[in-house]
Amino acid sequence: MRTRRIAVVSAGMSEPSSTRLLADRLGNSIAQRLDAIEVDVIDLRDIAVDVAQSMLSGFAVGGARDAVRAVEEADAVIAATPVFNASYSGLLKSFFDIVDKDTFVGKPVLIAATGGSPRHSMVLDHALRPLFAYLRAVVVPTGVYAASEDWAAGSGDTATLADRVDRATGELAALLGGSRQRPEPVDTDEAGISNFARLLGDSLSQS
């Protein structure tokens, strides 16, 4: 089996970085789902100067050159960014601007973001998803957003951060052609599906 390569791009600026933490979670999750996989984490904070110089020169230089090559050769990309002014960071955009846009044609991409408030989660669908749609990538349906409160276990009644990570990486694994972890079969009686179908049949027979 050919080894599949995943490039995980983190645009976190602080140290420590919640964006890098989320990127690592996503990378570890996809690694647990697939056999013969190599995960390459690219921390843009470490090569920010090289990214800027690459923008000026028109071609990738220094550490940016290796990072660009890792993305271009990857079978899939995970892109994680902090939210800045209701959008992705300038560092993330600058990096992907120096990657050949044809690299992303048909390539699976998982998008993720971090921010202080749940309100900023719209950055996934209003900024990141359009960016990669323009690049003609195949963006997985589930984006992963982590607000400050999501790092605390058992926060709220909605799906936890771990649930969202599992769902998103499961979708990415499916696009890559397989997963060790399969979804549990649905109990149709417990879910009410069989009862609904029976009621629907009764309704149709009476109409």
Side-chain angles (χ1 to χ4, degrees):
M1 179 183 295
R2 183 180 69 86
T3 298
R4 284 162 290 189
R5 302 182 62 182
I6 311 295
V8 182
V9 180
S10 170
M13 298 297 293
S14 60
E15 183 61 39
S17 166
S18 60
T19 302
R20 174 59 192 266
L21 182 59
L22 179 58
D24 287 341
R25 281 201 183 189
L26 291 164
N28 291 335
S29 181
I30 192 65
Q32 293 170 7
R33 287 182 173 274
L34 297 169
D35 294 309
I37 185 172
E38 178 181 326
V39 177
D40 187 6
V41 179
I42 301 165
D43 200 331
L44 296 183
R45 179 178 179 272
D46 296 337
I47 58 170
V49 173
D50 290 334
V51 170
Q53 290 179 342
S54 299
M55 292 286 291
L56 294 173
S57 64
F59 55 89
V61 300
R65 181 174 55 249
D66 295 333
V68 166
R69 184 182 303 113
V71 168
E72 291 177 346
E73 295 178 353
D75 296 288
V77 172
I78 296 173
T81 178
V83 176
F84 287 145
N85 297 323
S87 187
Y88 40 74
S89 74
L91 180 57
L92 183 88
K93 181 61 164 61
S94 295
F95 175 70
F96 285 122
D97 279 345
I98 63 175
V99 178
D100 183 351
K101 67 179 184 303
D102 291 335
T103 292
F104 288 98
V105 177
K107 181 171 294 187
V109 173
L110 191 163
I111 55 175
T114 60
S117 167
R119 293 192 301 272
H120 295 308
S121 63
M122 291 188 297
V123 71
L124 293 171
D125 291 323
H126 289 267
L128 279 171
R129 198 174 296 277
L131 169 64
F132 289 104
Y134 169 78
L135 294 172
R136 294 174 289 168
V138 178
V139 186
V140 302
T142 300
V144 181
Y145 179 80
S148 299
E149 62 197 54
D150 286 314
W151 299 108
S155 58
D157 297 326
T158 58
T160 65
L161 176 59
D163 293 333
R164 299 194 296 274
V165 167
D166 286 345
R167 183 166 66 248
T169 56
E171 293 166 356
L172 183 61
L175 287 175
L176 289 169
S179 174
R180 294 193 202 124
Q181 302 177 10
R182 302 295 182 183
E184 294 295 328
V186 176
D187 186 327
T188 56
D189 286 327
E190 181 178 343
I193 296 173
S194 60
N195 291 334
F196 176 77
R198 187 163 51 251
L199 289 171
L200 181 61
D202 292 342
S203 176
L204 291 175
S205 64
Q206 296 171 6
S207 60

